Amino acid sequence: MRADVIGAGAMGRAMASLLRETFPRWTIRLIDRDMSALTAARGAWKCEILCTDKPEQAELAPVVICAATWPVTLDVIESLVSRAASGVLVSISRPAAKDLPRVQQQLIHIPGLAAVLPCGLEPGLTEILVDYLLESTEEVQSLRICCGGIVKPRPANPLGYKRLFGASHLPLARRDAYCIRNGGLRVVPRFSDVQQLAWPGIGVLEHWHDGMQPRLADHPKLSRPGVDVDQRTLRWPGYVELVALLDKLGVLAEDALDESTGLTPKQLFERATQHTFDLAENEQTKTLLAIDLAGSQHGRRSVQGLRLTFTDRVDVRSMALATCLPVVFLVSWLTGSGKAVAGLHYPETIITPQMAPVMLDWLGRQGVEIAMDRCN
């Protein structure tokens, strides 16, 4: 079997490494326009490489994993459709909502091609595990999802934060987020409703509103009156307080340009603090996912808690593991189950609640710490 990974950034390199480890007999090819990144990957993981800025024009393998931006992924999908290609495409990038209807319609006419997107930690693993817990709960009262990547011990900088994705921007922008209140989708400010969570072996962390996939509001068990759902980000305490101060001082403004540099205040801040928030090689990271579900089953109160802790490997950071491992498992199932899958899918429609325990067992064998508590 052959597999192509498009994108040689942190996630693409991790994907190539994990594929090589999981499928030692496969031919793995990494595709990117950056020859230096490709050369390093070839030396580390003995994968094939292809240097091009137009991966959609290449003769792609039966398994394609896109660890690139959505526009690149969209071009690849449309190229595969135009060639009536067969196989599997999985993407970690979030698709633009305006493009999804067109992609779905195109894939209807290509019975041998399956596209699963987006798949990673969130969206992806989070929704798979939420569906798994919901399966054993008849009436839901509340669902809380918290995830985030932290450096341990806490970094000395005021935010207690380092960039785990390797990107240059900082996740400090003020914007709207979603939650579910009384069964209906609601808009709330990002960074609002700060709460604390104690994580064994790590300490007390804070979490706040930070997104949520709107499609969760369509789940029949979550769209009923009386149901509350939150999706939150975990950080070391004090993060939100400092973000509020920076915002008040105008440091995070994105609607004005500095005349001498042509940059916004936020971009200037990011440049000035780049080394402050860069992750050092010797710093250890952990990526955390917590799902807490309260409701009832057979007329009795049911409370379930699931905790996953991803820890750095020698060659793959924890956030890359949390993003890439769900993709590798999904590819393994799609290529090994013998079932024909075609069309556009979300990860949770492929890895169903019945398959989730198998996935959790597999993740445990990959070194992921998993703790689950159930009280009925």
Side-chain angles (χ1 to χ4, degrees), residues 69-128:
T69 61
W70 170 245
V72 172
T73 302
L74 180 60
D75 286 344
V76 170
I77 293 174
E78 294 189 331
S79 176
L80 292 173
V81 167
S82 70
R83 289 181 256 172
S86 60
V88 173
L89 179 140
V90 184
S91 171
I92 69 171
S93 59
R94 298 191 185 202
K98 65 181 179 62
D99 295 327
L100 279 179
R102 184 171 83 252
V103 170
Q104 189 170 29
Q105 187 62 35
Q106 290 174 330
L107 288 169
I108 289 174
H109 305 291
I110 312 297
L113 179 62
V116 186
L117 51 97
C119 184
L121 170 60
E122 194 290 311
L125 180 61
T126 297
E127 287 71 23
I128 291 169

Side-chain angles (χ1 to χ4, degrees), residues 111-360:
L113 179 62
V116 186
L117 51 97
C119 184
L121 170 60
E122 194 290 311
L125 180 61
T126 297
E127 287 71 23
I128 291 169
L129 297 180
V130 164
D131 275 6
Y132 168 55
L133 295 184
L134 287 172
E135 187 76 2
S136 58
T137 303
E138 291 176 346
E139 299 286 339
V140 177
Q141 178 184 359
S142 65
L143 170 66
R144 186 185 70 186
I145 305 162
C146 298
C147 63
I150 65 165
V151 177
K152 188 176 184 296
R154 174 178 174 146
N157 69 67
L159 281 173
Y161 170 80
K162 291 295 185 78
R163 298 184 183 93
L164 269 63
F165 279 102
S168 60
H169 72 277
L170 293 169
L172 305 176
R174 293 280 186 175
R175 55 172 171 75
D176 289 336
Y178 290 108
C179 70
I180 294 174
R181 290 292 178 266
N182 198 29
L185 197 64
R186 300 286 183 269
V187 175
V188 291
R190 187 187 193 190
F191 302 120
S192 64
D193 189 24
V194 181
Q195 299 180 27
Q196 291 191 331
L197 175 68
W199 199 286
I202 293 178
V204 176
L205 303 169
E206 70 178 23
H207 56 86
W208 66 88
H209 286 299
D210 193 14
M212 191 178 76
Q213 285 300 296
R215 70 175 182 268
L216 281 177
D218 297 327
H219 194 290
K221 291 185 180 180
L222 301 180
S223 56
R224 299 171 181 171
V227 178
D228 292 340
V229 181
D230 290 345
Q231 190 149 357
R232 296 162 165 269
T233 287
L234 286 164
R235 290 282 186 267
W236 288 110
Y239 186 94
V240 170
E241 184 178 5
L242 185 54
V243 169
L245 176 60
L246 292 172
D247 187 51
K248 187 175 182 179
L249 294 173
V251 174
L252 305 182
E254 298 185 81
D255 56 357
L257 292 178
D258 178 81
E259 292 183 1
S260 60
T261 64
L263 300 174
T264 67
K266 182 173 182 288
Q267 290 171 329
L268 286 169
F269 176 71
E270 288 170 339
R271 285 197 175 188
T273 59
Q274 180 176 350
H275 297 301
T276 301
F277 299 114
D278 279 349
L279 187 63
E281 288 188 9
N282 63 341
E283 288 183 299
Q284 299 300 306
T285 79
K286 290 183 179 290
T287 298
L288 314 173
L289 172 61
I291 304 174
D292 294 292
L293 178 65
S296 63
Q297 179 77 356
H298 304 308
R300 300 178 61 183
R301 180 167 172 77
S302 171
V303 178
Q304 302 180 76
L306 185 58
R307 302 284 186 273
L308 275 69
T309 303
F310 297 81
T311 303
D312 292 343
R313 293 186 184 181
V314 173
D315 58 343
V316 182
R317 288 290 192 178
S318 67
M319 185 60 75
L321 283 170
T323 301
C324 299
L325 283 175
V327 176
V328 174
F329 179 83
L330 189 144
V331 167
S332 178
W333 190 89
L334 285 172
T335 57
S337 66
K339 295 183 179 180
V341 178
L344 180 64
H345 297 269
Y346 293 127
E348 65 269 24
T349 64
I350 301 294
I351 308 302
T352 62
Q354 292 71 36
M355 282 293 300
V358 178
M359 180 182 219
L360 286 171

